[in-house]
Amino acid sequence: MMSVAVSPLDKFREYLATKSKRLTQERAIIVEEVFSDHEHFDADQLVERMQQREDGRRVSRSTVYRTLKGLEEAGLLRKVARNDNREVYEHDYGYPQHDHLICKNCGSLTEFTNESISKVLEEVSSDHRFRMAGHRLEVYGICEKCSGPVQRRHPMLDRI
Amino acid sequence: MMSVAVSPLDKFREYLATKSKRLTQERAIIVEEVFSDHEHFDADQLVERMQQREDGRRVSRSTVYRTLKGLEEAGLLRKVARNDNREVYEHDYGYPQHDHLICKNCGSLTEFTNESISKVLEEVSSDHRFRMAGHRLEVYGICEKCSGPVQRRHPMLDRI
DNA sequence: GTTATTGCAAACCATTTGCAAGTGT
DNA sequence: ACACTTGCAAATGGTTTGCAATAAC
């Protein structure tokens, strides 16, 4: 259980302060939108969500890109994979450490957590006098959905 | 110890045959160049190496890109990281499985091997009925070289 | 009032692709 | 002969950037 003492917006505000940057309306709206759910997303999807806001508070594509970079630096987001040639982001704050199974067929991301992986990485890093700051582990393959139905077009025949 | 029964070129030849593709001079030269050492490289570096060949057997940039894709499909190369916005490749044939420590400061890649990681990944995949085909693990941080000298500009003062 | 930020359009840049000429089988 | 490949130049497409107008502090 990880406790979240500060909201994402506050955390971002802190980060901005240390860099003499400003908390603009645009940045605030983006943070709100990004943290409104836990799904993975890419820049383009976020741009689209920003354009469909009912309150009409639009934000340009450039600002979305610029803010994503800031959120990453602030430790609020991290890149987890590339899909369709786009960087895929996910929350890196208030969300437990995990990695992903990535389906080569449908592109779906399945999260999993495993304690021993981080332990191993810490050992390895220490052996190499490497100061680990984070990692990105992508496991490629075919997910359950894609390996099931597709190959069994005639389920009854499987038993023959 | 992994035994390499077949040369990279032969392995590529086999792959090409299964796809009714041809072993052209260009492809052969690229394989030769790529497997002439074990260093990591990106497409641009390979293009440059191809242009500096003394024997004048040049290969165009497009063909390099096309062949890299083929070598990846053939299981001879794999992408291991992105550096400077470019895909970084390494040998995936006749070379033991390993992962990388990537320095955020100088971009250097340090290889490491660890048995338990693949074991864990197989367990996790099996738990999710996921058919693992491979993985990509990038550990980010600061390498020994970069964390040493840079931070200790006045080594003697460290002891104060 | 200063200085950072936005939105737009243009630029960037690694990678891909259409096509006519060339090559492997 | 046939189908696959090459090299070139042009296109692609995600991401970045210059700049004048605007907003945060």
Side-chain angles (χ1 to χ4, degrees):
Chain A
M1 294 300 154
M2 177 184 291
S3 68
V4 179
V6 191
S7 75
L9 188 57
D10 285 341
K11 177 127 200 251
F12 194 36
R13 188 179 278 120
E14 284 173 15
Y15 162 80
L16 292 171
T18 68
K19 298 274 185 179
S20 329
K21 292 187 172 181
R22 294 165 186 175
L23 181 57
T24 62
Q25 286 194 15
E26 289 80 359
R27 285 172 179 165
I29 305 170
I30 291 174
V31 171
E32 183 191 319
E33 189 70 50
V34 162
F35 286 87
S36 67
D37 72 45
H38 269 311
E39 295 302 311
H40 299 105
F41 65 94
D42 60 38
D44 201 58
Q45 291 170 324
L46 181 55
V47 167
E48 206 156 297
R49 282 165 63 186
M50 295 310 301
Q51 290 175 340
Q52 291 178 344
R53 285 180 69 93
E54 309 245 312
D55 58 12
R57 302 199 294 170
R58 304 282 184 82
V59 172
S60 74
R61 176 171 291 271
S62 318
T63 298
V64 167
Y65 274 100
R66 286 189 274 234
T67 304
L68 281 175
K69 190 173 283 185
L71 290 171
E72 203 188 346
E73 274 187 43
L76 288 166
L77 289 182
R78 65 174 191 141
K79 292 176 183 164
V80 280
R82 300 204 89 184
N83 200 324
D84 224 14
N85 205 32
R86 294 170 185 157
E87 292 289 354
V88 177
Y89 292 85
E90 73 171 6
H91 300 177
D92 189 24
Y93 180 64
Y95 205 56
Q97 164 68 46
H98 61 273
D99 297 294
H100 299 86
L101 305 177
I102 303 177
C103 181
K104 284 181 166 182
N105 189 235
C106 67
S108 68
L109 296 187
T110 305
E111 298 181 358
F112 70 88
T113 56
N114 190 292
E115 300 240 331
S116 56
I117 289 178
S118 12
K119 280 186 190 166
V120 168
L121 296 187
E122 273 169 28
E123 282 171 26
V124 170
S125 298
S126 137
D127 290 350
H128 287 79
R129 300 176 192 288
F130 182 85
R131 295 192 188 178
M132 177 168 63
H135 75 266
R136 174 165 161 169
L137 170 56
E138 305 174 11
V139 182
Y140 296 104
I142 306 295
C143 73
E144 183 174 11
K145 277 189 186 170
C146 289
S147 77
V150 172
Q151 306 207 339
R152 305 188 184 178
R153 281 173 302 186
H154 303 295
M156 301 309 282
L157 298 181
D158 282 358
R159 302 278 156 67
I160 293 178
Chain B
M1 293 303 150
M2 176 184 291
S3 70
V4 178
V6 191
S7 74
L9 188 58
D10 285 341
K11 177 127 202 250
F12 194 37
R13 188 179 277 120
E14 283 173 16
Y15 161 80
L16 292 172
T18 69
K19 298 273 184 180
S20 329
K21 293 186 172 181
R22 293 164 185 174
L23 180 56
T24 62
Q25 286 194 15
E26 290 81 358
R27 285 171 178 166
I29 304 170
I30 291 175
V31 171
E32 183 190 319
E33 189 70 50
V34 162
F35 285 88
S36 66
D37 73 45
H38 269 312
E39 294 302 310
H40 299 104
F41 65 94
D42 61 38
D44 201 59
Q45 292 172 325
L46 181 55
V47 168
E48 206 155 296
R49 282 165 64 186
M50 296 307 303
Q51 291 175 342
Q52 292 180 344
R53 286 180 68 94
E54 310 244 313
D55 57 12
R57 302 199 293 171
R58 304 282 184 81
V59 172
S60 74
R61 176 171 291 271
S62 317
T63 297
V64 167
Y65 273 100
R66 285 189 274 233
T67 304
L68 281 176
K69 190 173 282 183
L71 289 171
E72 204 188 345
E73 275 187 43
L76 289 166
L77 290 181
R78 67 174 190 138
K79 293 176 184 163
V80 280
R82 297 202 112 216
N83 200 325
D84 225 12
N85 204 32
R86 295 172 184 154
E87 292 289 355
V88 177
Y89 292 85
E90 72 172 6
H91 299 178
D92 190 25
Y93 179 66
Y95 206 57
Q97 164 69 46
H98 61 273
D99 296 295
H100 300 85
L101 306 177
I102 303 177
C103 181
K104 285 180 166 180
N105 188 234
C106 68
S108 69
L109 297 188
T110 305
E111 297 181 358
F112 70 88
T113 56
N114 190 292
E115 299 240 332
S116 55
I117 288 178
S118 13
K119 281 186 189 167
V120 167
L121 296 186
E122 273 170 27
E123 283 172 24
V124 169
S125 297
S126 139
D127 289 350
H128 287 78
R129 299 177 192 289
F130 183 86
R131 295 192 189 176
M132 177 169 64
H135 74 266
R136 173 163 161 172
L137 169 57
E138 305 173 11
V139 182
Y140 296 105
I142 306 296
C143 74
E144 184 174 9
K145 277 188 187 171
C146 290
S147 78
V150 172
Q151 305 207 341
R152 305 190 184 180
R153 279 173 305 187
H154 302 296
M156 300 309 282
L157 297 182
D158 283 356
R159 303 276 157 69
I160 294 180

